[in-house]
Amino acid sequence: MAEVDSFQNLLAARMLLKTSLEKSRSVASALEKTGPRLEEIKQSLPSLEAALRAQKCSLDALGGHISRAVGPATAVLKVFDAIHGLEKSLSSDPSSDLYGYLVVVKRLEEALRFLAENCGLAIRWLEDLVEFLKENAVIDDHRYLSNVTKSLKILRELQANEEGARLNGGLLSAAYDKLETEYRRLLRENGVPLPIISSASSIVAPSSLPVFVIQKLQVIIERLSANNRLESCLSTYIDIRSSNARACLEALGLDYLEISIFEFDNLQYMESSLDMWSKHLEYSVKNLLELEYQLCNDVFEKVGLDVSMDCFAKIAIQSGFLAFIQFGNTVTESKKDAVKLFKLLKIFHTLNELRLDFNRLFGGKSCNEIQIPTRQLIKRVIDGACEIFWELLPQVEVHRGTSPPSNGSVPSLVSFVIDYCNQLLQDDYRLTMIQVLEIHQNWKHQKFQEELLRKEVCNIVEAIRLNLDAWSKSYEDTPLSYIFLMNNHCHLYKALKGTSLGDLIGDFQLREHKKYRDYYASIYLRDSWGMLPGLLGHEDETLFSDGRAMACSLVKKKLKTFNEALDGTYKKQSNWVLANKNLRKRICQLVVDAIVPVYRSYIQKYGHFIEQDGIKNVKIYTEEGLVNMMSSMFQPKMGKCYSTNTRHSIDKKSEIVTSQFPSTTVVA
């Protein structure tokens, strides 16, 4: 039984071993087949490991891209929302609260500046993210790529909106337009010139700008200038302020500035025009342009001096100021005569008085359009004045060979030149003439002599004296030459006494004129009337012893001879003139004193012969008739003017003397 059990155990073991062997063979067969696969897996493990590592790196990179893009994009969106919040404030009128409006504009500028600096950056990072997602084929189960692409599109639109805000029609551009409108309104409403009535004339005062207006203009300019709109500010300012300045000048009545050269032949018109020119030029420089100069400096203070000077120069030119310079040129181009010297000196004096103002206002390069013609005018004035001045003496000398007045009166040339020199030596002209001569001498590199003017005037007076001597010798009638010399020495004495010219020539020369006046008066009476009393000399009584008839014949003869001599002398001298009233009265009285007493005495003694014998054809003068006859002599003809030593007489006499002084239409 035991054996049977052992055998059964062996069979069972044999079956188990057999089964195990078959399984081993199956496993061996399976292992044999699995080996190559394991080898294949073993060989692919390194590449798989590398792929997994790359996937991990890509996911890490994706996180970096997202982090970099999301921050700027979010900030850009927030700023854009803030810009939309400013639109309502910017649509308001800045005049109600300019400073508040400017604060909003500045915020908008800062917001747009932020967008300009960051929007592009956010767009570039989002573009990198999209490119990364596409290149790395990241699974897009949640539509990340689509959302990122949509965000990128929005940012691009925002960038376009930011750029558009700065263009015409954009939000910022519209805000700047409103500021320009407010800038223009401030200038127009606060710069209207105001009329002022003065005692002399009606003028228009230029209007300044209140301090608060200037401050508003400054902040507007600062904002617009920072955004390339300065030229618009300048153009508006120049247009409005130059228009105001032009209105101020036009209100003065400056039609005379357009006068032609030929109209200057009217001396009185020229004189009045020059007076107005001087006054109006001073007003224009010291009031009108001085104000514009200060305003330009104040308004454009923060922009720079060059800008303010350019602005001022354009205002001055567009106001019409250069018409004053052109008027001066017209005077220099007018007919050259002696009186023109005073006109040129007046122009120089006016310009010289304004020299410091001109240099300060128009000293910059921007004012070349005013500087250059002004310098040219000054040169023409100085050259012209010196040319006329140095021609005075030759012109006096050249008249030495001309004929003197036929009536023995004072030649117009003499009275004109004396009054002329007197006026030239007065302070308002003397100092100016000296300045002009000094400048002209310096231009020619010649040494200036302080006594140049005085010496030349003395030479002119001496030339007048020599002319008088030459003219007196040209009279065929000697007594007429005495009348002529009497007239002129009397005129010179009266015209020089107490004047600048009289002080120049001295008291001795004045006394000489007085002495010569009296000397020629005495020899005139002697040679012209001294013989008449002798014709009525009392006869010796023995001459009447031959009878009454002989006595009557002798008386008749003497009276006829006397009458012929008296009538002849009176007739010959009836057209002679003694210009000075006192001299005329004195000479007439001397003639009366020389003739009437002798005639009265003769008639009283021998007149009875005539009355008793009825002598006919013999004229008997009454004493009153004879006195009236003598007293009526030497009267000036109506219309003649022999006034002395006044500025008005200079202009009146110049109309006569101009025909004697050569005058041509030249540039002086």
Side-chain angles (χ1 to χ4, degrees), residues 67-297:
S67 298
R68 284 195 300 271
V70 169
T74 303
V76 166
L77 291 174
K78 289 181 179 180
V79 171
F80 186 73
D81 289 338
I83 289 175
H84 278 294
L86 299 176
E87 288 184 4
K88 183 177 180 180
S89 298
L90 292 174
S91 63
S92 64
D93 187 351
S95 62
S96 59
D97 182 11
L98 176 62
Y99 294 102
Y101 191 87
L102 286 169
V103 170
V104 176
V105 171
K106 194 168 184 180
R107 287 177 182 171
L108 176 60
E109 290 175 353
E110 292 172 351
L112 292 176
R113 191 178 304 114
F114 178 87
L115 290 180
E117 294 173 354
N118 294 278
C119 191
L121 181 62
I123 288 173
R124 286 195 298 273
W125 284 338
L126 285 178
E127 287 174 342
D128 291 344
L129 179 58
V130 170
E131 183 178 356
F132 177 83
L133 291 174
K134 290 180 178 180
E135 288 179 353
N136 292 276
V138 176
I139 299 174
D140 194 18
D141 291 342
H142 298 285
R143 301 175 61 92
Y144 292 136
L145 180 60
S146 175
N147 290 336
V148 171
T149 303
K150 184 177 180 181
S151 298
L152 179 61
K153 180 180 179 182
I154 292 172
L155 284 177
R156 284 172 175 165
E157 290 176 354
L158 290 179
Q159 186 180 41
N161 289 336
E162 181 274 329
E163 294 174 352
R166 298 181 180 274
L167 300 176
N168 292 336
L171 182 60
L172 185 59
S173 176
Y176 291 153
D177 291 342
K178 284 180 176 291
L179 287 176
E180 287 185 1
T181 301
E182 175 64 8
Y183 177 82
R184 188 179 298 105
R185 184 192 68 81
L186 289 170
L187 285 173
R188 289 194 183 281
E189 294 183 2
N190 295 279
V192 179
L194 303 174
I196 296 180
I197 308 299
S198 67
S199 58
S201 62
S202 175
I203 63 173
V204 174
S207 176
S208 183
L209 296 174
V211 175
F212 77 91
V213 173
I214 293 177
Q215 291 172 345
K216 287 184 176 182
L217 293 174
Q218 286 178 334
V219 294
I220 293 176
I221 291 171
E222 182 180 8
R223 196 77 266 119
L224 294 177
S225 176
N227 292 276
N228 300 319
R229 290 211 179 192
L230 178 60
E231 285 302 320
S232 178
C233 294
L234 292 173
S235 177
T236 299
Y237 187 89
I238 292 168
D239 288 344
I240 294 176
R241 293 306 303 182
S242 63
S243 177
N244 290 346
R246 187 163 54 251
C248 290
L249 292 180
E250 290 174 351
L252 298 175
L254 302 180
D255 293 343
Y256 68 90
L257 294 179
E258 300 176 2
I259 188 173
S260 67
I261 295 176
F262 304 102
E263 290 178 276
F264 273 109
D265 291 342
N266 186 324
L267 293 173
Q268 290 185 352
Y269 184 76
M270 180 195 284
E271 183 74 21
S272 63
S273 296
L274 269 175
D275 287 340
M276 289 189 293
W277 176 84
S278 180
K279 180 178 68 175
H280 292 160
L281 178 62
E282 181 179 357
Y283 161 79
S284 300
V285 173
K286 287 186 172 293
N287 296 93
L288 181 63
L289 295 183
E290 174 68 29
L291 172 64
E292 296 302 333
Y293 178 83
Q294 293 298 336
L295 282 178
C296 284
N297 285 338

Side-chain angles (χ1 to χ4, degrees), residues 525 529-530 532-534 562 566 584-601 623 626-631 633-634:
L525 288 170
W529 300 95
L532 265 68
F562 174 83
L566 177 64
R584 181 170 64 250
K585 185 176 180 180
R586 176 188 168 202
I587 296 301
C588 288
Q589 187 59 49
L590 289 175
V591 173
V592 168
D593 292 343
I595 302 301
V596 173
V598 174
Y599 185 81
R600 180 176 62 241
S601 175
E623 181 176 347
L626 197 57
V627 170
N628 290 338
M629 179 181 175
M630 298 294 99
S631 300
M633 297 181 66
F634 313 120

